[in-house]
């Protein structure tokens, strides 16, 4: 597995932010930055830095309304 897309390489903050995006994306398609900061309880700068990493790795993408799940999904290796 490519380390760049290895879920085990994500920090706890990145996983927390990803889960917050995923939770909203399933119901609403996307989540805005303010709502994401509020739902994670993390400082805005920390959320923005995490989003940059998650976007760069394909886990999250930018939409017109905020952030949504990216084309890269977690896989299970057998």
């Amino acid at each position: 597995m490519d380390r760049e897309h290895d879920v085990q390489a994500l920090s706890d903050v990145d996983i927390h932010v990803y889960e917050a995006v995923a939770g909203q994306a399933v119901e609403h398609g996307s989540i805005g930055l303010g709502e994401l900061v509020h739902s994670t309880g993390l400082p805005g700068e920390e959320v923005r830095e995490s989003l940059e990493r998650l976007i760069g790795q394909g886990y999250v993408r930018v939409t017109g309304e905020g952030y949504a799940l990216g084309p890269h999904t977690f896989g299970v290796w057998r």
Side-chain angles (χ1 to χ4, degrees), residues 9 13 18 28 39 41 59-60 62 72:
V13 170
Y18 176 85
H28 306 287
S39 69
Y59 293 111
V60 172
V62 178
H72 187 281

Side-chain angles (χ1 to χ4, degrees), residues 43 54 71:
L54 292 168

Side-chain angles (χ1 to χ4, degrees):
M1 175 180 270
D2 181 358
R3 176 121 172 105
E4 184 176 325
H5 292 132
D6 181 359
V7 68
Q8 294 176 341
L10 294 176
S11 71
D12 290 344
V13 170
D14 292 343
I15 291 171
H16 187 54
V17 171
Y18 176 85
E19 288 174 345
V21 172
Q24 288 295 311
V26 169
E27 274 191 55
H28 306 287
S30 66
I31 184 171
L33 180 60
E35 188 178 4
L36 191 54
V37 168
H38 177 73
S39 69
T40 62
L42 297 169
E45 186 60 31
E46 196 168 6
V47 171
R48 282 188 289 277
E49 289 171 0
S50 178
L51 285 168
E52 286 179 27
R53 286 189 295 275
L54 292 168
I55 291 166
Q57 294 176 15
Y59 293 111
V60 172
R61 64 184 171 88
V62 178
T63 69
E65 295 80 36
Y67 301 92
L69 294 179
H72 187 281
T73 58
F74 297 119
V76 176
W77 292 87
R78 295 179 187 212

